[in-house]
Amino acid sequence: MQRAAALVRRGCCPRTPGPWGRRQSSAAAEASAVLKVRPERSRRERILTLESMNPQVKAVEYAVRGPIVLKAGEIELELQRGIKKPFTEVIRANIGDAQAMGQQPITFLRQVMALCTYPNLLDSPSFPEDAKKRARRILQACGGNSLGSYSASQGVNCIREDVAAYITRRDGGVPADPDNIYLTTGASDGISTILKILVSGGGKSRTGVMIPIPQYPLYSAVISELDAVQVNYYLDEENCWALNVNELRRAVQEAKDHCDPKVLCIINPGNPTGQVQSRKCIEDVIHFAWEEKLFLLADEVYQDNVYSPDCRFHSFKKVLYEMGPEYSSNVELASFHSTSKGYMGECGYRGGYMEVINLHPEIKGQLVKLLSVRLCPPVSGQAAMDIVVNPPVPGEESFELFHREKESVLGNLAKKAKLTEDLFNQVPGIHCNPLQGAMYAFPRIFIPSKAVEAAQAHKMAPDMFYCMKLLEETGICVVPGSGFGQREGTYHFRYLCLFVPGGWSQVCLGKWTCYHRTQAGCRD
Amino acid sequence: MQRAAALVRRGCCPRTPGPWGRRQSSAAAEASAVLKVRPERSRRERILTLESMNPQVKAVEYAVRGPIVLKAGEIELELQRGIKKPFTEVIRANIGDAQAMGQQPITFLRQVMALCTYPNLLDSPSFPEDAKKRARRILQACGGNSLGSYSASQGVNCIREDVAAYITRRDGGVPADPDNIYLTTGASDGISTILKILVSGGGKSRTGVMIPIPQYPLYSAVISELDAVQVNYYLDEENCWALNVNELRRAVQEAKDHCDPKVLCIINPGNPTGQVQSRKCIEDVIHFAWEEKLFLLADEVYQDNVYSPDCRFHSFKKVLYEMGPEYSSNVELASFHSTSKGYMGECGYRGGYMEVINLHPEIKGQLVKLLSVRLCPPVSGQAAMDIVVNPPVPGEESFELFHREKESVLGNLAKKAKLTEDLFNQVPGIHCNPLQGAMYAFPRIFIPSKAVEAAQAHKMAPDMFYCMKLLEETGICVVPGSGFGQREGTYHFRYLCLFVPGGWSQVCLGKWTCYHRTQAGCRD
């Protein structure tokens, strides 16, 4: 009563009974009774609006889950409601989400995870001993022997040791130090965290971050969030999306006019472009970074996904060390890996790691401090990362099954990559570079000028218009090239090479051709 | 050879063989051979240093995992190496990490998680049917029926539905809309995401964010990262850490001189202060936010942790709706919950949700876009959140065990809170307010002026000096009050009330008293 009266005295707004009037406090109810004669006021202006919000966040773009994906969701709902379409399901080829496309998890990984989750199963005879051994090792390193405890901000110690041992094996003996390993919430988290520490300055001394075009749009999004300057270098489509150091030179020189280029990001194997860098190219890039004093970010999440027999994955870390001490003790490098890609495809667990080389000790302290604000990466994701880097070895009970599953997934991916490439190259108006690695095709599409005009009439980029039509007419959801960046006047889309096997490719080819016939109607 | 020669021509640095010379490429080896006569250069200046790094990140402080916790880690290593100390183990009372302190996970939660992780177990007779039912429901809502797929950026649909149903039950029928629920990577992620969208402006129009003092230092850390303005309002220690609206008024008026106060953060039940807000206080706060046009952030992660029989948890959402349509259709509110606290203590899974009220539809789009850059919260954490909001109900097979475990954990927490409060109040020089909720005590310590001088001589805040001594002499790791904020000239520490039961409290009391005797030696 006192409260209600006070509100009235203060000239407070009317409080009429809501639909939950029965549960209103007596004070609120009384206030309502006193005040309900006044007309209800109209809704006030919001505090948080497009105008008032953080402009850097507003500027963020992320096409992989952008308007085309929202449209795909709407079409799926329409199909569920029985609305007739020229297709019966939406094929979500917009994102590298292997298990959503039917890829089965690696049995050993899930067995260890289940044992860690519910340790009563450690007594069950239906789990192999090597899986139990892994689970015990992980649990012993967790507070209270539980995945439910926070880990150290940098990640569980023994998992960082396993990651370091893996890198050492992978790189043929170049040693890795667990102190340089930071477990992360997927690779995206590591990339955005290190960029967050790196950016500084205002005006002409704002940090410039060099990224490939086409790029994976996490980079442009984080650069925008951090108000850094995006410095584009173009991959050479005519040359199988190779990275040319002369193009890096051009880009950095031009950037110096308006910002302070400080970071060079490399994606190898390439996303969305599917190329695998040669050892020589990596040497050139490292030398360039050394020369130009650039901090190197090597996004190597597709390191297990190399399909072309002519290509091999070389880690930046290994090449850096092989180039000798001037490089290996000077070039600052952060490289990233993830549980989401490779043969595991465990995207949902959000596991990943970052290895840093030549990071200043004081910066390591800053990094741990920054990471500690979010407490720790998901411990289940850390456990998944452990199994990725510490799989069964010959002689262990689970080795044979693990090996068979791994080879089957990678073999299928290689076959599908080849199929996809061939398929696209059979369609008039599409050109696809050889798919050497990663999981995507980024074919070029030649859009007739009348179709470009039609797109402009719809206020859409021509490739967005193309992808939207493709989705509406065939149910195939792909991401327009403009979401990744492309040379002015060229058009592409990114397509996940994980389509359901068994004749689907032929259906797909039929649809593409059909679609191109439709487009042909717009030809000059 | 060509490459090596090119490097020489470019005047490149010397490349001497590293310890992994055997594995150097032939080009690298040749380059080394050509160049190794030159003296090795000294290490270059790093690109990323304390001077060049992001100054906003440098300004971040996060005491919960700060220097005292690093010191605790060092002491643990020394104990492992056999170095003698006046204690045999470090008690990590610095962080609310229940399972690390021996709390057992809730069986039902882990059973459902194990079933989701390794669906072969769905055929096992050792799992109850209600757990299987939950697991099937979750898996059916995941891409490819797998926790390994990415979820929608906002979280798995059916889990958001379960969260909405939970909120509706909790709030006695006030409806919640699944579209307003965003699953997050722990509550920290939700809080920093919404703050990231909210902050804008420069100079005098920089966004002011009001936070309680003492606060949970996530807030100050994120405010610093985002270059927003921290606006302190002081909780009333004399009055059991109550929130007084007059103090909010003072704080906002003073802040308007130098920034644009736009956000008001509330932590209820309080962290680190352990108070539970009365319904009247919440009404006052909501009215104040309405009046001053402030966006409300309600950190309600301790909603299940209320111990005092005189207190009850009231959600901001419920009170907002009960205050009538002027408030319920105008006040913008985001509230947060987590799997980490309550009776579950599942910190490691990093599960959480945010409910938004009256968020502008365009901002919802911006929020989904921003979240989509990180793809999705860990799906295992989402599943854990689902079980928290959708536990066994009477009549279900697992209900009895679940209920017993839940009551046991909460009963123990209540008992320990009371024990802790009494214990501290028996020690001369310590005063502890009643612990009504959450998991911490934030007792005031009266540090003798000679000890303050000793601290200054060590260039430490007096409470940091106290906590460091306490750690070194007793092995108890607590966080100094300065890490949370406190009124000038007062000193506190935060202590997790989860110490191992069974006589430890007596040991602890002995140690405290002993420590205060030591301190007494410094008395005036």
Side-chain angles (χ1 to χ4, degrees), chain A residues 3 16 20 23-24 44 47 65 99 110 117 146 172 175 196 225 283-284 290 323 330 332 375, chain B residues 3 15 20 23 44 46-47 65 99 110 117 146 153 172 175 196 225 284 290 322 325 330 332 375:
Chain A
R3 164 84 188 135
T16 54
W20 311 279
R23 296 192 169 267
Q24 282 186 321
R44 299 206 304 197
I47 297 157
R65 295 195 156 196
Q99 296 192 17
R110 291 303 187 92
T117 303
S146 173
K196 192 186 280 177
E225 252 186 73
E283 268 198 29
D284 288 348
W290 172 86
M323 285 171 73
N330 282 318
E332 289 155 80
L375 300 161
Chain B
R3 162 87 186 134
R15 299 204 289 183
W20 312 279
R23 297 195 168 265
R44 302 206 301 201
R46 293 271 169 269
I47 298 158
R65 295 195 155 195
Q99 296 193 15
R110 291 303 188 93
T117 304
S146 173
S153 311
K196 193 185 281 178
E225 253 185 71
D284 288 348
W290 172 86
E322 289 173 351
N330 281 318
E332 289 155 79
L375 299 162

Short mmCIF file of all heavy atoms in Angstrom, two decimals, chain A residues 3 16 20 23-24 44 47 65 99 110 117 146 172 175 196 225 283-284 290 323 330 332 375, chain B residues 3 15 20 23 44 46-47 65 99 110 117 146 153 172 175 196 225 284 290 322 325 330 332 375:
data_model
loop_
_atom_site.label_atom_id
_atom_site.label_comp_id
_atom_site.label_asym_id
_atom_site.label_seq_id
_atom_site.Cartn_x
_atom_site.Cartn_y
_atom_site.Cartn_z
N ARG A 3 3.95 1.32 -0.81
CA ARG A 3 4.69 1.32 -2.08
C ARG A 3 3.85 1.90 -3.21
O ARG A 3 4.30 2.73 -3.97
CB ARG A 3 5.11 -0.12 -2.38
CG ARG A 3 5.55 -0.39 -3.80
CD ARG A 3 7.00 -0.05 -3.98
NE ARG A 3 7.33 -0.15 -5.41
CZ ARG A 3 8.03 0.73 -6.06
NH1 ARG A 3 8.51 1.79 -5.44
NH2 ARG A 3 8.30 0.58 -7.33
N THR A 16 -1.89 -1.45 -14.79
CA THR A 16 -3.15 -2.18 -14.90
C THR A 16 -2.87 -3.66 -14.74
O THR A 16 -1.75 -4.09 -14.96
CB THR A 16 -3.78 -1.92 -16.28
OG1 THR A 16 -2.82 -2.23 -17.27
CG2 THR A 16 -4.19 -0.47 -16.43
N TRP A 20 -1.76 -12.06 -15.67
CA TRP A 20 -1.42 -12.92 -14.53
C TRP A 20 -1.83 -12.23 -13.24
O TRP A 20 -1.20 -12.35 -12.23
CB TRP A 20 0.07 -13.23 -14.54
CG TRP A 20 0.40 -13.68 -15.89
CD1 TRP A 20 0.21 -14.93 -16.40
CD2 TRP A 20 0.88 -12.87 -16.95
NE1 TRP A 20 0.50 -14.95 -17.73
CE2 TRP A 20 0.92 -13.71 -18.10
CE3 TRP A 20 1.21 -11.53 -17.08
CZ2 TRP A 20 1.34 -13.22 -19.33
CZ3 TRP A 20 1.63 -11.05 -18.31
CH2 TRP A 20 1.68 -11.89 -19.42
N ARG A 23 -1.77 -13.52 -9.71
CA ARG A 23 -0.52 -13.72 -9.01
C ARG A 23 0.19 -12.41 -8.69
O ARG A 23 1.30 -12.39 -8.20
CB ARG A 23 0.41 -14.62 -9.84
CG ARG A 23 -0.18 -15.99 -10.01
CD ARG A 23 0.81 -16.96 -10.55
NE ARG A 23 0.26 -18.29 -10.44
CZ ARG A 23 0.48 -19.10 -9.41
NH1 ARG A 23 1.26 -18.73 -8.43
NH2 ARG A 23 -0.06 -20.30 -9.37
N GLN A 24 -0.46 -11.28 -8.99
CA GLN A 24 0.16 -10.00 -8.63
C GLN A 24 0.28 -9.87 -7.12
O GLN A 24 -0.60 -10.33 -6.39
CB GLN A 24 -0.68 -8.85 -9.16
CG GLN A 24 -0.50 -8.61 -10.65
CD GLN A 24 -1.25 -7.37 -11.07
OE1 GLN A 24 -2.36 -7.13 -10.59
NE2 GLN A 24 -0.66 -6.57 -11.92
N ARG A 44 6.86 2.58 -25.47
CA ARG A 44 7.93 3.58 -25.53
C ARG A 44 8.98 3.19 -26.57
O ARG A 44 9.07 2.03 -26.97
CB ARG A 44 8.63 3.67 -24.17
CG ARG A 44 7.71 4.09 -23.05
CD ARG A 44 8.43 4.75 -21.93
NE ARG A 44 9.51 3.98 -21.35
CZ ARG A 44 10.03 4.25 -20.15
NH1 ARG A 44 9.55 5.25 -19.43
NH2 ARG A 44 11.01 3.54 -19.67
N ILE A 47 15.35 1.24 -25.82
CA ILE A 47 16.71 1.72 -25.52
C ILE A 47 17.69 1.17 -26.55
O ILE A 47 18.54 1.87 -27.09
CB ILE A 47 17.13 1.25 -24.11
CG1 ILE A 47 16.21 1.85 -23.04
CG2 ILE A 47 18.60 1.62 -23.84
CD1 ILE A 47 16.19 1.05 -21.74
N ARG A 65 25.63 -18.28 -42.21
CA ARG A 65 24.33 -18.46 -41.56
C ARG A 65 23.44 -17.25 -41.83
O ARG A 65 22.65 -16.85 -40.97
CB ARG A 65 24.51 -18.69 -40.07
CG ARG A 65 25.23 -19.99 -39.78
CD ARG A 65 25.11 -20.42 -38.35
NE ARG A 65 25.28 -21.85 -38.24
CZ ARG A 65 24.93 -22.56 -37.17
NH1 ARG A 65 24.41 -21.98 -36.13
NH2 ARG A 65 25.12 -23.86 -37.14
N GLN A 99 28.23 -34.39 -39.47
CA GLN A 99 27.32 -35.34 -38.84
C GLN A 99 25.86 -35.01 -39.14
O GLN A 99 25.01 -35.90 -39.22
CB GLN A 99 27.59 -35.43 -37.34
CG GLN A 99 28.99 -35.99 -37.07
CD GLN A 99 29.22 -36.36 -35.62
OE1 GLN A 99 28.29 -36.50 -34.84
NE2 GLN A 99 30.48 -36.54 -35.26
N ARG A 110 33.40 -41.48 -29.18
CA ARG A 110 32.17 -41.40 -28.40
C ARG A 110 32.20 -42.35 -27.20
O ARG A 110 31.59 -42.06 -26.17
CB ARG A 110 30.98 -41.70 -29.30
CG ARG A 110 30.72 -40.60 -30.33
CD ARG A 110 30.51 -39.25 -29.66
NE ARG A 110 30.09 -38.25 -30.62
CZ ARG A 110 28.82 -37.97 -30.89
NH1 ARG A 110 27.85 -38.58 -30.25
NH2 ARG A 110 28.51 -37.05 -31.79
N THR A 117 31.69 -39.08 -19.23
CA THR A 117 30.44 -38.45 -18.83
C THR A 117 29.80 -39.18 -17.66
O THR A 117 29.30 -38.56 -16.71
CB THR A 117 29.45 -38.46 -20.02
OG1 THR A 117 30.07 -37.80 -21.13
CG2 THR A 117 28.15 -37.76 -19.68
N SER A 146 36.00 -35.04 -12.56
CA SER A 146 34.71 -34.84 -13.22
C SER A 146 34.81 -33.85 -14.38
O SER A 146 35.44 -32.79 -14.25
CB SER A 146 33.69 -34.32 -12.20
OG SER A 146 32.49 -33.97 -12.87
N GLY A 172 57.08 -34.32 -37.53
CA GLY A 172 58.30 -35.10 -37.70
C GLY A 172 59.37 -34.76 -36.68
O GLY A 172 60.57 -34.73 -37.01
N PRO A 175 59.73 -30.03 -31.87
CA PRO A 175 59.06 -30.16 -30.57
C PRO A 175 57.98 -29.12 -30.36
O PRO A 175 58.06 -28.00 -30.87
CB PRO A 175 60.21 -29.94 -29.57
CG PRO A 175 61.19 -29.12 -30.30
CD PRO A 175 61.09 -29.46 -31.75
N LYS A 196 41.75 -10.34 -30.81
CA LYS A 196 41.33 -9.34 -29.82
C LYS A 196 42.54 -8.73 -29.10
O LYS A 196 42.58 -7.54 -28.82
CB LYS A 196 40.39 -9.99 -28.81
CG LYS A 196 39.68 -9.00 -27.92
CD LYS A 196 38.88 -9.69 -26.84
CE LYS A 196 37.56 -10.22 -27.34
NZ LYS A 196 36.82 -10.96 -26.28
N GLU A 225 33.99 -6.46 -35.65
CA GLU A 225 33.69 -6.35 -34.21
C GLU A 225 34.76 -5.56 -33.48
O GLU A 225 34.48 -4.81 -32.56
CB GLU A 225 33.68 -7.75 -33.61
CG GLU A 225 32.34 -8.29 -33.22
CD GLU A 225 32.50 -9.63 -32.52
OE1 GLU A 225 32.95 -9.65 -31.34
OE2 GLU A 225 32.19 -10.64 -33.15
N GLU A 283 56.90 -21.34 -47.29
CA GLU A 283 58.19 -20.68 -47.03
C GLU A 283 58.15 -19.22 -47.45
O GLU A 283 58.60 -18.33 -46.72
CB GLU A 283 59.31 -21.38 -47.83
CG GLU A 283 60.00 -22.48 -47.07
CD GLU A 283 61.36 -22.84 -47.70
OE1 GLU A 283 62.02 -21.97 -48.32
OE2 GLU A 283 61.74 -24.00 -47.57
N ASP A 284 57.62 -18.99 -48.64
CA ASP A 284 57.54 -17.61 -49.13
C ASP A 284 56.71 -16.74 -48.18
O ASP A 284 57.06 -15.59 -47.89
CB ASP A 284 56.88 -17.57 -50.52
CG ASP A 284 57.79 -18.13 -51.59
OD1 ASP A 284 58.99 -18.34 -51.31
OD2 ASP A 284 57.29 -18.39 -52.71
N TRP A 290 58.18 -12.43 -41.97
CA TRP A 290 59.41 -12.05 -41.26
C TRP A 290 59.87 -10.66 -41.71
O TRP A 290 60.18 -9.78 -40.91
CB TRP A 290 60.48 -13.12 -41.53
CG TRP A 290 61.84 -12.77 -41.03
CD1 TRP A 290 62.34 -13.00 -39.77
CD2 TRP A 290 62.89 -12.13 -41.76
NE1 TRP A 290 63.61 -12.55 -39.68
CE2 TRP A 290 63.99 -12.00 -40.88
CE3 TRP A 290 63.00 -11.65 -43.07
CZ2 TRP A 290 65.19 -11.41 -41.28
CZ3 TRP A 290 64.20 -11.07 -43.46
CH2 TRP A 290 65.27 -10.95 -42.57
N MET A 323 63.12 -23.61 -41.53
CA MET A 323 63.77 -22.47 -42.19
C MET A 323 64.92 -21.90 -41.36
O MET A 323 65.59 -20.96 -41.79
CB MET A 323 62.73 -21.38 -42.50
CG MET A 323 61.84 -21.74 -43.69
SD MET A 323 60.47 -20.60 -43.91
CE MET A 323 61.30 -19.14 -44.55
N ASN A 330 62.05 -15.89 -34.27
CA ASN A 330 61.54 -14.53 -34.43
C ASN A 330 60.10 -14.42 -34.90
O ASN A 330 59.37 -13.54 -34.45
CB ASN A 330 62.44 -13.74 -35.38
CG ASN A 330 63.71 -13.28 -34.69
OD1 ASN A 330 63.65 -12.84 -33.55
ND2 ASN A 330 64.84 -13.41 -35.35
N GLU A 332 56.39 -14.62 -35.10
CA GLU A 332 55.31 -14.93 -34.15
C GLU A 332 54.15 -15.58 -34.91
O GLU A 332 53.69 -15.06 -35.92
CB GLU A 332 54.85 -13.63 -33.46
CG GLU A 332 55.89 -13.10 -32.49
CD GLU A 332 55.80 -11.60 -32.26
OE1 GLU A 332 54.95 -11.15 -31.48
OE2 GLU A 332 56.60 -10.87 -32.91
N LEU A 375 36.30 -18.27 -17.94
CA LEU A 375 36.54 -19.42 -17.08
C LEU A 375 37.27 -20.55 -17.78
O LEU A 375 38.44 -20.78 -17.51
CB LEU A 375 35.26 -19.88 -16.41
CG LEU A 375 34.65 -18.76 -15.53
CD1 LEU A 375 33.21 -18.99 -15.22
CD2 LEU A 375 35.47 -18.58 -14.26
N ARG B 3 65.19 -21.46 -54.77
CA ARG B 3 64.61 -20.74 -53.62
C ARG B 3 65.70 -20.18 -52.72
O ARG B 3 65.67 -19.02 -52.32
CB ARG B 3 63.69 -21.70 -52.85
CG ARG B 3 63.35 -21.27 -51.46
CD ARG B 3 62.14 -20.37 -51.47
NE ARG B 3 61.92 -19.83 -50.12
CZ ARG B 3 61.67 -18.57 -49.88
NH1 ARG B 3 61.60 -17.70 -50.86
NH2 ARG B 3 61.49 -18.17 -48.66
N ARG B 15 70.09 -18.93 -42.50
CA ARG B 15 69.29 -20.09 -42.09
C ARG B 15 70.23 -21.23 -41.73
O ARG B 15 70.74 -21.94 -42.60
CB ARG B 15 68.36 -20.51 -43.23
CG ARG B 15 67.38 -19.41 -43.60
CD ARG B 15 66.16 -19.96 -44.25
NE ARG B 15 66.48 -20.44 -45.60
CZ ARG B 15 65.56 -20.94 -46.42
NH1 ARG B 15 64.31 -21.04 -46.04
NH2 ARG B 15 65.89 -21.35 -47.63
N TRP B 20 66.41 -30.14 -36.01
CA TRP B 20 65.66 -31.12 -36.81
C TRP B 20 66.19 -31.12 -38.24
O TRP B 20 65.47 -31.34 -39.18
CB TRP B 20 64.18 -30.80 -36.76
CG TRP B 20 63.82 -30.57 -35.36
CD1 TRP B 20 63.56 -31.51 -34.42
CD2 TRP B 20 63.83 -29.32 -34.69
NE1 TRP B 20 63.39 -30.94 -33.22
CE2 TRP B 20 63.54 -29.59 -33.34
CE3 TRP B 20 64.07 -28.00 -35.07
CZ2 TRP B 20 63.49 -28.58 -32.39
CZ3 TRP B 20 64.00 -27.02 -34.12
CH2 TRP B 20 63.71 -27.31 -32.79
N ARG B 23 65.36 -33.45 -41.04
CA ARG B 23 64.06 -33.38 -41.70
C ARG B 23 63.89 -32.09 -42.51
O ARG B 23 62.83 -31.82 -43.05
CB ARG B 23 62.94 -33.47 -40.65
CG ARG B 23 62.97 -34.80 -39.96
CD ARG B 23 61.72 -35.08 -39.20
NE ARG B 23 61.69 -36.47 -38.81
CZ ARG B 23 61.08 -37.41 -39.52
NH1 ARG B 23 60.44 -37.11 -40.62
NH2 ARG B 23 61.11 -38.66 -39.10
N ARG B 44 64.78 -10.58 -32.44
CA ARG B 44 64.17 -9.29 -32.78
C ARG B 44 63.12 -8.88 -31.76
O ARG B 44 62.61 -9.69 -31.01
CB ARG B 44 63.48 -9.39 -34.15
CG ARG B 44 64.38 -9.80 -35.28
CD ARG B 44 63.87 -9.29 -36.60
NE ARG B 44 62.55 -9.75 -36.96
CZ ARG B 44 62.09 -9.75 -38.21
NH1 ARG B 44 62.87 -9.33 -39.20
NH2 ARG B 44 60.89 -10.15 -38.49
N ARG B 46 59.58 -8.18 -30.47
CA ARG B 46 58.33 -8.84 -30.81
C ARG B 46 57.33 -7.84 -31.41
O ARG B 46 57.36 -6.65 -31.10
CB ARG B 46 57.71 -9.45 -29.56
CG ARG B 46 58.50 -10.60 -28.97
CD ARG B 46 58.05 -11.92 -29.59
NE ARG B 46 58.97 -12.99 -29.23
CZ ARG B 46 60.03 -13.34 -29.95
NH1 ARG B 46 60.31 -12.73 -31.10
NH2 ARG B 46 60.81 -14.31 -29.57
N ILE B 47 56.43 -8.37 -32.25
CA ILE B 47 55.35 -7.54 -32.80
C ILE B 47 54.30 -7.29 -31.71
O ILE B 47 53.83 -6.19 -31.51
CB ILE B 47 54.68 -8.25 -34.00
CG1 ILE B 47 55.68 -8.47 -35.13
CG2 ILE B 47 53.46 -7.46 -34.49
CD1 ILE B 47 55.29 -9.59 -36.08
N ARG B 65 40.65 -15.65 -10.97
CA ARG B 65 41.74 -16.50 -11.42
C ARG B 65 43.04 -15.69 -11.52
O ARG B 65 43.86 -15.94 -12.39
CB ARG B 65 41.38 -17.14 -12.76
CG ARG B 65 40.20 -18.07 -12.65
CD ARG B 65 40.05 -18.97 -13.84
NE ARG B 65 39.34 -20.18 -13.45
CZ ARG B 65 39.30 -21.28 -14.19
NH1 ARG B 65 39.93 -21.33 -15.34
NH2 ARG B 65 38.64 -22.35 -13.78
N GLN B 99 31.91 -29.40 -8.17
CA GLN B 99 32.35 -30.78 -8.37
C GLN B 99 33.84 -30.94 -8.10
O GLN B 99 34.29 -32.01 -7.68
CB GLN B 99 31.96 -31.25 -9.77
CG GLN B 99 30.44 -31.28 -9.94
CD GLN B 99 29.98 -32.04 -11.18
OE1 GLN B 99 30.75 -32.78 -11.78
NE2 GLN B 99 28.73 -31.83 -11.56
N ARG B 110 23.70 -37.03 -15.76
CA ARG B 110 24.80 -37.70 -16.43
C ARG B 110 24.34 -38.91 -17.24
O ARG B 110 24.93 -39.25 -18.26
CB ARG B 110 25.86 -38.11 -15.41
CG ARG B 110 26.60 -36.91 -14.80
CD ARG B 110 27.26 -36.04 -15.86
NE ARG B 110 28.10 -35.03 -15.26
CZ ARG B 110 29.41 -35.19 -15.03
NH1 ARG B 110 30.02 -36.30 -15.38
NH2 ARG B 110 30.10 -34.22 -14.47
N THR B 117 25.51 -39.01 -25.78
CA THR B 117 26.87 -39.08 -26.30
C THR B 117 27.10 -40.36 -27.09
O THR B 117 27.73 -40.35 -28.15
CB THR B 117 27.87 -39.06 -25.10
OG1 THR B 117 27.61 -37.89 -24.33
CG2 THR B 117 29.30 -39.08 -25.58
N SER B 146 22.63 -36.18 -33.73
CA SER B 146 23.94 -36.27 -33.07
C SER B 146 24.30 -35.00 -32.32
O SER B 146 24.11 -33.88 -32.84
CB SER B 146 25.01 -36.56 -34.13
OG SER B 146 26.29 -36.48 -33.54
N SER B 153 22.19 -21.25 -34.25
CA SER B 153 23.02 -20.33 -33.46
C SER B 153 22.36 -19.99 -32.13
O SER B 153 23.04 -19.78 -31.12
CB SER B 153 23.24 -19.03 -34.24
OG SER B 153 23.67 -19.32 -35.55
N GLY B 172 5.22 -19.00 -12.04
CA GLY B 172 3.81 -19.15 -11.70
C GLY B 172 2.88 -18.79 -12.84
O GLY B 172 1.82 -18.19 -12.62
N PRO B 175 4.02 -16.24 -18.98
CA PRO B 175 4.48 -17.04 -20.11
C PRO B 175 5.87 -16.63 -20.59
O PRO B 175 6.28 -15.48 -20.49
CB PRO B 175 3.44 -16.76 -21.20
CG PRO B 175 2.91 -15.42 -20.87
CD PRO B 175 2.98 -15.27 -19.38
N LYS B 196 28.04 -6.55 -25.46
CA LYS B 196 28.74 -6.18 -26.70
C LYS B 196 27.80 -5.45 -27.66
O LYS B 196 28.19 -4.51 -28.34
CB LYS B 196 29.28 -7.45 -27.36
CG LYS B 196 30.26 -7.17 -28.47
CD LYS B 196 30.67 -8.44 -29.18
CE LYS B 196 31.70 -9.23 -28.41
NZ LYS B 196 32.05 -10.49 -29.10
N GLU B 225 37.00 -4.51 -21.71
CA GLU B 225 37.22 -5.01 -23.07
C GLU B 225 36.47 -4.19 -24.10
O GLU B 225 36.96 -3.95 -25.20
CB GLU B 225 36.65 -6.43 -23.16
CG GLU B 225 37.66 -7.55 -23.21
CD GLU B 225 36.96 -8.89 -23.43
OE1 GLU B 225 36.44 -9.15 -24.54
OE2 GLU B 225 36.93 -9.65 -22.45
N ASP B 284 11.35 -1.84 -6.91
CA ASP B 284 11.99 -0.52 -6.91
C ASP B 284 13.02 -0.42 -8.03
O ASP B 284 13.11 0.60 -8.72
CB ASP B 284 12.71 -0.28 -5.57
CG ASP B 284 11.73 -0.03 -4.43
OD1 ASP B 284 10.52 0.18 -4.71
OD2 ASP B 284 12.16 -0.05 -3.26
N TRP B 290 12.86 1.73 -15.44
CA TRP B 290 11.83 2.28 -16.33
C TRP B 290 11.97 3.81 -16.39
O TRP B 290 11.96 4.41 -17.46
CB TRP B 290 10.46 1.88 -15.77
CG TRP B 290 9.30 2.52 -16.47
CD1 TRP B 290 8.67 2.09 -17.59
CD2 TRP B 290 8.65 3.73 -16.08
NE1 TRP B 290 7.67 2.94 -17.94
CE2 TRP B 290 7.62 3.96 -17.03
CE3 TRP B 290 8.82 4.64 -15.03
CZ2 TRP B 290 6.78 5.07 -16.96
CZ3 TRP B 290 7.98 5.74 -14.96
CH2 TRP B 290 6.97 5.95 -15.92
N GLU B 322 4.24 -8.69 -13.19
CA GLU B 322 3.24 -8.40 -12.16
C GLU B 322 3.05 -6.91 -11.93
O GLU B 322 2.05 -6.49 -11.36
CB GLU B 322 3.62 -9.11 -10.86
CG GLU B 322 3.43 -10.62 -10.96
CD GLU B 322 3.95 -11.38 -9.76
OE1 GLU B 322 4.62 -10.76 -8.90
OE2 GLU B 322 3.70 -12.59 -9.69
N PRO B 325 1.29 -3.71 -17.46
CA PRO B 325 1.75 -3.58 -18.85
C PRO B 325 2.68 -2.41 -19.13
O PRO B 325 3.50 -2.51 -20.04
CB PRO B 325 0.44 -3.44 -19.64
CG PRO B 325 -0.63 -3.21 -18.66
CD PRO B 325 -0.17 -3.69 -17.34
N ASN B 330 7.44 -2.39 -21.74
CA ASN B 330 8.43 -1.35 -22.03
C ASN B 330 9.84 -1.65 -21.51
O ASN B 330 10.81 -1.32 -22.20
CB ASN B 330 7.96 -0.01 -21.46
CG ASN B 330 6.92 0.63 -22.35
OD1 ASN B 330 7.06 0.61 -23.58
ND2 ASN B 330 5.88 1.16 -21.76
N GLU B 332 13.21 -3.18 -21.00
CA GLU B 332 14.02 -4.17 -21.72
C GLU B 332 14.88 -4.92 -20.70
O GLU B 332 15.60 -4.31 -19.91
CB GLU B 332 14.89 -3.47 -22.77
CG GLU B 332 14.06 -2.94 -23.94
CD GLU B 332 14.72 -1.78 -24.66
OE1 GLU B 332 15.63 -2.00 -25.47
OE2 GLU B 332 14.29 -0.62 -24.37
N LEU B 375 29.13 -19.81 -34.42
CA LEU B 375 28.40 -21.00 -34.86
C LEU B 375 27.32 -21.46 -33.87
O LEU B 375 26.16 -21.34 -34.14
CB LEU B 375 29.37 -22.13 -35.23
CG LEU B 375 30.28 -21.70 -36.41
CD1 LEU B 375 31.50 -22.57 -36.51
CD2 LEU B 375 29.52 -21.66 -37.71
#
